[in-house]
């Protein structure tokens, strides 16, 4: 047990001295990016959000149509229920219940589809941004690029280390919107 502790301490000491030696022979170039600013100012994210919003509006229109039809059928049933026989009432109620279930299932399916679609959209945009940042960082000679979040994983850095605007400009210049692709 004591040998494992000593061995662990020796390994840590070697790693620290190796890192110090590397750093003394090589200046480390570090920068940071305000991640949320980067992602939400990226034209690719804006286009993806627009596409997602258009899909959501179409899905919501379908849900609204089904809801209106259900309400119309319920109101019709309510008005004529006094004139219906017990058997007719039972049949109409059964149809209304089935329609209500169908509506609920469809609305739930759309809700789940919406969530999945939003996750796919966000993941796709983040993959684009991360890939671009990796290539940009290599070309610019950065050893480390840190992404900040609103939860504060970077507490302080000098302003000159913030490359958000430079990377965002290059990222947007590199982006080709779906409209541009269809024109070319």
């Amino acid at each position: 047990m004591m040998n494992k502790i000593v061995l662990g301490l020796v390994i840590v000491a070697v790693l620290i001295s190796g890192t110090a030696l590397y750093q003394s022979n090589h200046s480390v170039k570090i920068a940071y990016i305000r991640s949320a600013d980067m992602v939400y100012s990226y034209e690719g994210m804006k286009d993806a959000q627009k596409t997602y919003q258009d899909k959501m509006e179409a899905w919501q229109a379908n849900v609204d149509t089904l809801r209106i039809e259900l309400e119309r059928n319920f109101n019709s049933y309510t008005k004529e229920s006094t004139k219906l026989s017990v058997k007719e009432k039972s049949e109409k109620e059964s149809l209304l219940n089935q329609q209500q279930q169908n509506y609920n299932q469809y609305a739930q399916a759309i809700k789940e589809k919406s969530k999945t679609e939003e996750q796919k959209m966000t993941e796709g945009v983040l993959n684009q941004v991360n890939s671009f940042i990796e290539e940009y960082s290599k070309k610019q000679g950065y050893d480390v690029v840190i992404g900040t979040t609103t939860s504060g994983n970077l507490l302080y850095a000098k302003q000159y280390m913030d490359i958000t605007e430079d990377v965002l400009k290059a990222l947007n210049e590199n982006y080709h919107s779906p409209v541009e692709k269809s024109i070319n």
Side-chain angles (χ1 to χ4, degrees):
M1 170 94 166
M2 185 62 125
N3 289 340
K4 287 184 181 180
I5 293 173
V6 171
L7 180 61
L9 290 174
V10 168
I11 290 172
V12 169
V14 168
L15 287 173
I16 290 172
S17 63
T19 303
L21 179 62
Y22 175 77
Q23 288 179 347
S24 68
N25 293 329
H26 178 73
S27 66
V28 178
K29 192 173 178 183
I30 300 174
Y32 72 93
I33 292 174
R34 295 181 318 276
S35 300
D37 293 348
M38 172 69 63
V39 171
Y40 291 107
S41 296
Y42 173 42
E43 293 301 321
M45 176 57 115
K46 292 176 184 178
D47 285 349
Q49 286 176 322
K50 173 72 173 114
T51 300
Y52 171 76
Q53 189 62 37
D54 291 347
K55 287 180 182 180
M56 281 296 301
E57 287 172 6
W59 295 334
Q60 187 59 49
N62 290 341
V63 170
D64 291 344
T65 299
L66 291 175
R67 180 185 46 78
I68 289 167
E69 184 180 329
L70 176 62
E71 288 172 358
R72 188 177 324 125
N73 289 342
F74 181 76
N75 290 338
S76 173
Y77 167 76
T78 303
K79 288 178 184 174
E80 63 184 38
S81 66
T82 57
K83 302 173 191 169
L84 298 174
S85 69
V86 173
K87 182 180 178 186
E88 291 172 322
K89 275 186 179 181
S90 177
E91 289 172 354
K92 292 262 186 186
E93 287 172 0
S94 179
L95 288 172
L96 281 172
N97 285 333
Q98 184 61 46
Q99 189 176 12
Q100 176 72 47
Q101 287 176 359
N102 291 343
Y103 167 77
N104 291 341
Q105 289 171 351
Y106 183 77
Q108 183 63 34
I110 291 300
K111 185 177 179 180
E112 290 170 12
K113 186 175 184 174
S114 166
K115 187 176 180 179
T116 301
E117 189 75 20
E118 184 178 29
Q119 288 171 340
K120 282 178 22 183
M121 175 213 44
T122 303
E123 184 178 307
V125 169
L126 290 177
N127 287 338
Q128 290 173 19
V129 170
N130 290 338
S131 294
F132 185 84
I133 290 172
E134 182 178 344
E135 289 303 312
Y136 180 91
S137 300
K138 287 177 183 176
K139 287 178 185 173
Q140 298 299 319
Y142 288 102
D143 296 299
V144 177
V145 175
I146 300 166
T148 66
T149 66
T150 55
S151 58
N153 62 347
L154 179 66
L155 300 178
Y156 173 77
K158 292 189 176 186
Q159 184 61 37
Y160 77 87
M161 295 177 79
D162 183 354
I163 61 170
T164 306
E165 294 305 318
D166 296 334
V167 175
L168 181 59
K169 181 180 178 201
L171 178 64
N172 282 330
E173 287 173 356
N174 188 63
Y175 176 68
H176 302 288
S177 76
V179 174
E180 288 175 2
K181 287 179 185 174
S182 65
I183 293 172
N184 293 333

